[in-house]
Amino acid sequence: MSNFKRVINIIPLTSVNLGSTQIFTYLVPLNLHDHLRPGQLVRVPFGGRRLILGLVSSVEMHRLPKEAKGLKEVTELIGATPVLTEKHIALANWIAKYYVTPLGLVVKAMLPKFVKKNKDPQITGYEKFNPDYILTDYQKNAVSEITRALGSPSTILLHGITGSGKTEVYMQVIERVLFAGKQVIILVPEISLTTQAIERFARRFGIERIALLHSKLRDSERLFMWQKIWENEKQIIIGPRSAVFAPVQDLGLIIMDEEHDPSFKQYDQHPKYHAREVAGKLSELWICPLILGDATPSITSYFNVASNIDQASMSRGETGGKSILLTLPHRIMADVGLPKVRVVDMRKELAAKNFSIFSEALKAEMIMKLKQNKQIILFLNRRGSATFIMCRDCAYVSTCEHCQVPLVYHLTTQSLVCHHCARNYDIPTACPACGGARIKYFGIGTEAVEEGLKKFLKEELKDKELPLIVRMDRDSTAVAGAHKQIYDDWTAGRTRILIGTQMISKGWDVSRVGLVGIITADTILHLPDYRSNERTFQMLTQVAGRAGRGSDPGVVVLQTYNPENFAIQAAKLHDYQGFFAREIEVRKKFGYPPFTRLIKLVFSHPDREKALALSERAVNLLRQEGSPGIEIIGPIPSFIMRLRGRFRFQVILKSVANVDFDFYPLLAKLADADIDIDPESLL
Ligand code: ADP
Ligand code: ZN
């Protein structure tokens, strides 16, 4: 007996070089022989004298001959109960492989901080209420299809415009899942995680069954929720992307609302995961459906579901995940039509010597709606930073001669860079198309809109009092309580004009909105990103969906320098299918996702030359070891070339031939790269 020692596998909760093993073997001291289980936390010596946390990944306690040298011993066991289930450990392994991230960092991201005391955040004040709707035929169909899929790892795309009754469908299905004693995860975009959005779920199911996870929770409160979920005392988990890691014990359903929203991708720290992909894996592990609900599904999701349906119909009877596409084509309040969208050509405004931010049409609508006592939203895109150069006279946009994509204006280098082929261009002083001198970078801020608006209204209303105008952006909401104040002013109808970015989220009362003015639809259209059309379409459709609830369909005035663009045209007609059909052709023709996969690598260093050298070294290595099916683009300076004192260069990889190419072994060799798989933006 004493000839053998027991050993165990452990994931150290730290960043381990990707090239080396991520799971380490330790000796088990005698006193722990019968106490170790997968998912438990232990303390282990790691790298020199450091003691760190580790997670027991598996406990086949091998017996090793005693000459197994160099192995260190587990120092102590922290708490008898595991903190991750075996399914979650499997999930962590998958994430680490797919996103090429140290396994220990993934596990760390899945765990709360184990602070000394937990604390109940004590959310109360929701009266229970059951509305007893009679479902529409579409809703009935959706509920029964989803119900049939319960217990299988299906992906269900619920495509329905705002107000078409998707949430009601979720509710009805959730009821069935809860009845079976299982848990539900509801993922929502960061922005719609307001108490208002939670209210409906709380009123239907009772707040005591709901675990709300959001960024404002304290560590102690998060730990409280985490434990309640673990003990299955909370069955409905609502939160942004990280809620996908909720420590469920018996998961029956995952819902992802507004699945196209970019906040579902973590971009600022590792693991750089997309909650949709993780949720897909989760649904496989728990053998339960994943519902993607959206008015404007991402091109990739729609394509995947549509093409899987084709495959499934060819090979029926196979087990495994299937795809289901469900549609809710009408608004519940059938008498409320969709808003009329008026597209205004801003080039004509210029030609008519209107140099204001507002077109004549928008001005006239604003005055009218103020008279009618309606509320107005003026929308600006948050990503409207000055990335491109445009001629204000003829709307010419500087594009790459080789790639046709808009060039990116780099402030730091004062040059134009093509983010697709890395070519550099000088900034033109006159417009290459019309010779005009009014060629400049493009971008309007919320302050400028507010100023312009006040000036216009002062002239228009003469000495009458100005209506309440509220700006909602990062600055105006930075103060504690500001958000609530803006919400209250809006809901009470005090605010007449709201200027902002993607602000108005689910749960805001928009029944009095008579007009949505989109200051410029072009800011995202000219982002040098293959998703520009998609983002433009989604943004316009979602914003337009804010108008026209209540008794009046409302008006949308959409200002653009590109009225003929198909994303804008499709948004005008509320035509998702039409948009999808054109966009998927573009993706296919130019080799973009979902037909290829993209990876962004960023190399940074306090010294510019060193950063460049790192990126060039990586490119050389990739050229030597890469597969012929992989295109390498760069290095080019990153759009934000200097961040926190470090210069940054980026390289884009594009897998052309094989979308399922396993990048892990290749990328693991790039010790200096910051790796982003399926990046949300190429900027
Ligand atoms: P979505 O989630 O697609 O935006 P909702 O589920 O929020 O749509 O439905 C829009 C509105 O219609 C909500 O106020 C909701 O309570 C109501 N509603 C949903 N289904 C029905 C129904 N079958 N009968 C009557 N009202 C309904
Ligand atoms: Zn180019």
Side-chain angles (χ1 to χ4, degrees), residues 367-375 493 496 512:
I367 294 300
M368 192 156 83
K369 295 301 173 192
L370 284 176
K371 281 204 185 113
Q372 293 169 352
N373 233 351
K374 297 271 183 189
Q375 287 178 309
R496 305 302 311 283
R512 267 178 304 229

Coordinates of all heavy atoms in Angstrom, one line a residue, residues 367-375 493 496 512:
I367 N -41.8 70.3 -34.8 CA -42.8 71.4 -34.4 C -44.2 70.8 -34.3 O -44.9 71.1 -33.3 CB -42.7 72.5 -35.4 CG1 -41.3 73.2 -35.3 CG2 -43.8 73.5 -35.1 CD1 -41.0 73.8 -34.0
M368 N -44.5 70.0 -35.2 CA -45.9 69.4 -35.2 C -46.1 68.6 -34.0 O -47.1 68.7 -33.3 CB -46.1 68.6 -36.5 CG -47.5 68.3 -36.7 SD -47.8 68.0 -38.5 CE -47.3 66.3 -38.7
K369 N -45.1 67.7 -33.7 CA -45.3 66.8 -32.6 C -45.4 67.5 -31.3 O -46.0 67.1 -30.3 CB -44.3 65.7 -32.6 CG -44.3 64.8 -33.8 CD -45.6 64.0 -34.0 CE -45.6 63.3 -35.3 NZ -47.0 62.8 -35.6
L370 N -44.6 68.6 -31.2 CA -44.6 69.3 -29.9 C -46.0 69.9 -29.7 O -46.5 69.9 -28.7 CB -43.5 70.4 -30.0 CG -42.1 70.0 -29.7 CD1 -41.1 71.2 -29.9 CD2 -41.9 69.4 -28.3
K371 N -46.5 70.4 -30.8 CA -47.9 71.0 -30.8 C -48.9 69.9 -30.3 O -49.8 70.2 -29.6 CB -48.3 71.6 -32.1 CG -47.7 72.9 -32.4 CD -48.5 73.7 -33.4 CE -47.8 75.0 -33.8 NZ -47.3 75.0 -35.2
Q372 N -48.7 68.7 -30.9 CA -49.7 67.6 -30.5 C -49.4 67.0 -29.2 O -50.0 66.0 -28.8 CB -49.6 66.5 -31.6 CG -50.1 67.0 -33.0 CD -49.7 65.9 -34.0 OE1 -49.0 65.0 -33.8 NE2 -50.3 66.1 -35.2
N373 N -48.5 67.6 -28.5 CA -48.1 67.1 -27.1 C -47.6 65.7 -27.1 O -47.7 64.9 -26.2 CB -49.4 67.1 -26.3 CG -49.1 67.8 -25.0 OD1 -48.0 68.2 -24.7 ND2 -50.2 68.1 -24.2
K374 N -46.9 65.4 -28.2 CA -46.2 64.0 -28.3 C -44.8 64.1 -27.8 O -44.2 65.2 -27.8 CB -46.2 63.6 -29.7 CG -47.6 63.3 -30.3 CD -48.0 61.9 -30.0 CE -49.4 61.7 -30.7 NZ -50.0 60.4 -30.3
Q375 N -44.2 63.0 -27.4 CA -42.8 63.0 -27.1 C -42.0 62.7 -28.3 O -42.4 62.0 -29.3 CB -42.5 61.9 -26.0 CG -43.1 62.4 -24.6 CD -42.9 61.3 -23.6 OE1 -43.2 60.2 -23.8 NE2 -42.3 61.7 -22.5
G493 N -43.9 62.1 -18.6 CA -44.2 62.9 -19.7 C -43.6 64.3 -19.6 O -43.9 65.2 -20.5
R496 N -39.9 66.3 -23.1 CA -40.5 66.3 -24.4 C -39.6 65.8 -25.5 O -40.1 65.2 -26.4 CB -41.0 67.8 -24.7 CG -41.9 68.4 -23.6 CD -43.1 67.6 -23.4 NE -43.8 67.3 -24.6 CZ -44.6 68.1 -25.3 NH1 -44.7 69.4 -24.9 NH2 -45.1 67.7 -26.4
R512 N -46.3 57.6 -25.9 CA -46.6 58.9 -26.3 C -45.5 59.4 -27.4 O -45.5 60.6 -27.7 CB -46.5 59.9 -25.1 CG -47.8 60.2 -24.5 CD -47.7 61.0 -23.3 NE -46.7 60.4 -22.4 CZ -47.0 60.3 -21.1 NH1 -48.1 60.7 -20.6 NH2 -46.1 59.7 -20.3

